[in-house]
Amino acid sequence: MPVPVGLTLQPDAEYLDLLGAVLREEVGYYEVTPETLWWQDQRGALHENRFHARFLALAAETGLPVVGHGVGLSLGSRGDDARRRRWLGRLREDGRRFRFRWYTEHLGTTAPAGLNLTLPQPLWLDAAAAPLLRRRLDALRGVAPRVGIENSVVYFLLGDAPQEARLLRQALQGPGRCLLLDLHNLYTMAQNTGLCPDAYLDALGLSQVVEIHLSGGRDS
C-alpha cells in the first residue's frame, strides 16, 4: 500500500507561491500548525489571521485531507487554566473547519506559568507525568478523531531517554491516540545527548505511529 507524503503549510506568501504546483499536484495531504494562523488581542482572545482563510481555500480547492500539529498548547504545564481553555476552544473550531484527520502536539512544556517559550522544554519524568498527558489528550478529543504526541527535541532531560520513551508509550495507550514519530528530532537528541536511537525506539514501541517527520534543522 503506498504511503502518502504530506507537506506543512507555512504562513508565508513567498513559500506558498513558490510551492504552488507542488502543493496542488505532488502531495497527499497537508499539515497545519493552528497557532500560526491566529493572532492574540490584548484580552488574550485568539483570532484568525489572513493565512487561515487561504489554507482553508487551498484544502477546498484540492480536496486533500488536512492534519493538525501544534507546539503551543503546552501538554506538560500545570495551571494557567484560562489560557488552556482559550487555546482548546480555538483548536476545536479549527478542527471542525479543517476537518483534521488527526491532531498532535509536541511533548513538553511551552507555556509554564503563562510564559511563552516557543520551543518545548522537558517534562518532569515522575509518576504524575503519564496521567497528566492522558488528561491533556482527553481534553483534545473534540479536535480530531485521533489525538497524539510527537517526540520533541530538548536541551536536557529530567530523567533518561528510555524513561521518556516509556512515558510516551504509556500515555498513548488506548483507542483514538497516536504517535507522531519525528526521526529528525530523535537524530538531533542522539547527536546532542548521546542517547541510543535503537534503545529509544525499542522502549517507545511503534504500533501507534500515524505520521513520521523526516527533516528540519541544521548543524550549529
Side-chain angles (χ1 to χ4, degrees):
M1 185 175 66
V3 176
V5 175
L7 196 64
T8 300
L9 297 181
Q10 300 288 353
D12 179 272
E14 184 178 13
Y15 169 95
L16 296 170
D17 291 340
L18 288 172
L19 289 178
V22 173
L23 291 169
R24 288 167 174 81
E25 300 168 11
E26 298 187 33
V27 300
Y29 67 96
Y30 303 129
E31 181 183 270
V32 301
T33 298
E35 61 259 41
T36 66
L37 307 180
W38 311 334
W39 63 274
Q40 182 172 295
D41 66 23
Q42 291 182 338
R43 296 178 294 107
L46 301 166
H47 306 277
E48 299 167 8
N49 66 25
R50 61 192 177 93
F51 288 101
H52 194 283
R54 184 166 177 176
F55 289 1
L56 281 172
L58 178 63
E61 174 193 338
T62 62
L64 292 176
V66 181
V67 303
H69 177 56
V71 179
L73 179 61
S74 196
L75 289 178
S77 296
R78 273 87 163 173
D80 202 10
D81 293 338
R83 177 189 182 275
R84 187 173 301 281
R85 284 193 297 270
R86 291 194 299 271
W87 209 271
L88 286 169
R90 276 266 25 142
L91 286 176
R92 293 187 187 105
E93 177 63 15
D94 281 358
R96 181 186 67 81
R97 297 183 67 186
F98 283 99
R99 292 186 287 185
F100 292 147
R101 297 294 180 89
W102 59 80
Y103 179 81
T104 53
E105 275 279 343
H106 280 256
L107 178 68
T109 298
T110 52
L115 301 174
N116 183 7
L117 302 182
T118 305
L119 296 176
Q121 298 303 301
L123 272 69
W124 288 102
L125 300 179
D126 58 12
L132 174 67
L133 290 176
R134 285 196 292 269
R135 289 196 301 273
R136 297 287 189 255
L137 291 174
D138 287 343
L140 284 167
R141 291 286 189 182
V143 176
R146 302 178 73 181
V147 295
I149 305 174
E150 177 192 28
N151 58 297
S152 296
V153 169
V154 292
Y155 300 107
F156 58 93
L157 284 169
L158 300 170
D160 59 40
Q163 185 181 3
E164 179 187 274
R166 288 191 293 271
L167 166 66
L168 270 172
R169 187 172 187 169
Q170 184 179 2
L172 294 174
Q173 289 177 351
R177 293 178 181 170
C178 57
L179 172 67
L180 196 169
L181 176 60
D182 192 314
L183 293 177
H184 174 78
N185 286 356
L186 181 57
Y187 172 80
T188 302
M189 289 289 288
Q191 294 295 306
N192 289 346
T193 69
L195 73 84
C196 174
D198 289 339
Y200 190 95
L201 291 173
D202 287 343
L204 183 61
L206 303 178
S207 63
Q208 297 289 74
V209 173
V210 70
E211 181 181 355
I212 295 174
H213 279 180
L214 291 175
S215 64
R218 61 183 180 183
D219 290 336
S220 174

